[in-house]
């Protein structure tokens, strides 16, 4: 059974305390670069999606250092380039780091690098995206549930237009296993309920591609014939909304999103975006950090995980699977503000004053 966020957070807190009491030592990988404690590599995919550098990276680094004061963290960002991430992994493998936390740019293309790390005795923790190859652990959210939440919210936002409504689907990068899960979950809700007028896969999750595709959909379908937009994340939502506004679509149809980016939250307050999916970053980072530290020390990951997952090769590995949450204008305060992701002051710029008052964000 998949753990609820609160239960997983409590379990991970207990685990973190236990792990912190264990003296830091060298892991099972090759000799590290000369530090007193384990060295952990953190490989992020891009800077386009705000969460990686503004949320996940600082949280992971903080959690790792709280669990192991002597641990060193080496960070790299691939800027959406597979070749760059492969080089970054090869460099960390050559340095003999004790564990790697990997958010793969392309799950399939990074498989060879994961195998190389495994051959070098360096455990790889797949973070947020299930990469191919012999990983040691995985932490993420239920991708299909993300899509289902988006689909349900879109139908709700369309209201009376559902029965004869038409939508545009802006899916993520098909090379990202998560994007495939989001799409599958969304279609399980939307199929048979609304007409999908146009659907696009968005390579590398590029905002500008979403703008271009939405502009093409408007030309093909007509500005007045789009009753909803399924956008797989907030970057795609931003691109689609900019295209809708550029084409003078008013009122805007409901647009979904994901990642609870600050810009998206502000668009929700202003009424330009209908919803986003909030995947609490802290529990994910806690799980990833606990696995990384345990792996770097050569300890079993079973004691720091709550689930298992089947990899692309059919093997079962320890995992932490978390539950996502829907955020609309009605519950921003009870979710993102309450969890400390953003303050009301960060969300409510001067131009959003009246809208924030209506949303109860004062």
């Amino acid at each position: 059974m998949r753990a609820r966020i609160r239960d997983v957070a409590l379990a991970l807190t207990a685990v973190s305390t236990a792990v912190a009491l264990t003296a830091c030592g060298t892991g099972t990988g090759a000799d590290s670069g000369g530090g007193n404690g384990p060295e952990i590599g953190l490989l992020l995919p891009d800077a386009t999606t705000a969460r990686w550098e503004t949320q996940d990276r600082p949280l992971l680094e903080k959690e790792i250092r709280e669990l192991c004061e002597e641990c060193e963290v080496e960070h790299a960002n691939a800027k959406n380039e597979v070749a760059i991430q492969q080089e970054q992994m090869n460099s960390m493998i050559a340095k003999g780091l004790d564990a790697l936390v990997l958010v793969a740019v392309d799950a399939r293309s990074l498989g060879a690098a994961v195998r190389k790390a495994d051959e070098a005795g360096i455990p790889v923790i797949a973070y947020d995206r299930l990469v191919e190859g012999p990983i040691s652990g995985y932490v993420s959210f239920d991708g299909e549930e993300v899509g289902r939440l988006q689909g349900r919210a879109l139908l709700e936002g369309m209201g009376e237009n559902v029965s004869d409504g038409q939508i545009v689907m802006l899916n993520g990068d098909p090379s990202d296993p998560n994007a495939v899960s989001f799409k599958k979950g969304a279609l399980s809700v939307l199929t048979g309920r609304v007409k999908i007028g146009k659907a696009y896969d968005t390579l590398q999750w590029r905002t500008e591609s979403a703008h271009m595709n939405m502009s093409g959909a408007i030309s093909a379908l007509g500005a007045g014939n789009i009753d909803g937009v399924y956008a797989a994340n907030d970057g795609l939502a931003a691109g689609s909304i900019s295209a809708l506004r550029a084409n003078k679509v008013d009122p805007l149809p409901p647009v979904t999103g994901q990642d609870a980016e600050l810009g998206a939250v502000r668009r929700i307050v202003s009424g330009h975006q209908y919803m986003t999916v909030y995947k609490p970053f802290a529990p994910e980072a806690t799980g990833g950090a606990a696995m990384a530290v345990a792996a770097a020390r050569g300890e079993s990951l079973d004691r720091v995980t709550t689930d298992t997952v089947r990899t692309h090769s059919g093997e079962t590995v320890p995992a932490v699977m978390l539950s996502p949450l829907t955020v609309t204008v009605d519950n921003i305060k009870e979710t993102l503000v309450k969890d400390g992701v953003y303050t009301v002051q960060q969300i409510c710029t001067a131009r959003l004053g009246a809208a924030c008052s209506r949303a109860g964000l004062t």
Side-chain angles (χ1 to χ4, degrees), residues 170-325:
L170 299 174
N171 301 301
D173 191 327
S175 69
D176 178 351
N178 282 352
V180 176
S181 295
F182 304 151
K183 182 178 179 179
K184 182 178 179 181
L187 286 173
S188 73
V189 173
L190 298 172
T191 301
R193 296 292 306 278
V194 293
K195 178 182 178 182
I196 301 173
K198 287 287 183 181
Y200 304 90
D201 290 332
T202 314
L203 297 180
Q204 297 185 337
W205 296 89
R206 293 190 181 278
T207 299
E208 57 269 28
S209 296
H211 180 104
M212 179 181 67
N213 289 335
M214 178 54 70
S215 297
I218 293 170
S219 298
L221 303 175
N225 297 318
I226 298 173
D227 302 299
V229 178
Y230 170 81
N233 76 352
D234 290 333
L236 303 188
S240 66
I241 290 168
S242 67
L244 290 164
R245 297 184 71 185
N247 283 273
K248 312 299 181 184
V249 176
D250 186 29
L252 291 172
V255 180
T256 67
Q258 177 187 181
D259 290 332
E261 294 182 0
L262 181 56
V265 178
R266 289 171 175 165
R267 289 192 296 273
I268 291 171
V269 172
S270 69
H272 294 145
Q273 185 170 326
Y274 183 70
M275 64 82 73
T276 189
V277 174
Y278 168 41
K279 300 185 296 187
F281 307 116
E284 188 174 20
T286 298
M291 280 193 276
V293 171
R297 290 172 171 163
E299 300 170 352
S300 170
L301 268 62
D302 290 333
R303 60 192 290 268
V304 296
T305 55
T306 54
D307 300 282
T308 60
V309 70
R310 191 173 297 278
T311 67
H312 295 285
S313 62
E315 296 182 6
T316 299
V317 299
V320 173
M321 300 301 292
L322 301 162
S323 300
L325 301 170

Side-chain angles (χ1 to χ4, degrees), residues 28-39:
T28 58
D31 292 340
S32 61
N36 294 324
E39 290 186 293

Side-chain angles (χ1 to χ4, degrees), residues 129-182:
R129 299 174 181 175
L130 188 59
V131 67
E132 292 190 6
I135 61 172
S136 297
Y138 178 53
V139 56
S140 190
F141 290 81
D142 185 334
E144 289 187 30
E145 179 63 11
V146 169
R148 288 190 289 267
L149 291 178
Q150 292 170 320
R152 292 175 194 136
L154 183 58
L155 294 178
E156 179 182 281
M158 291 172 66
E160 61 184 19
N161 291 325
V162 167
S163 59
D164 58 354
Q166 177 171 242
I167 68 168
V168 174
M169 288 194 76
L170 299 174
N171 301 301
D173 191 327
S175 69
D176 178 351
N178 282 352
V180 176
S181 295
F182 304 151

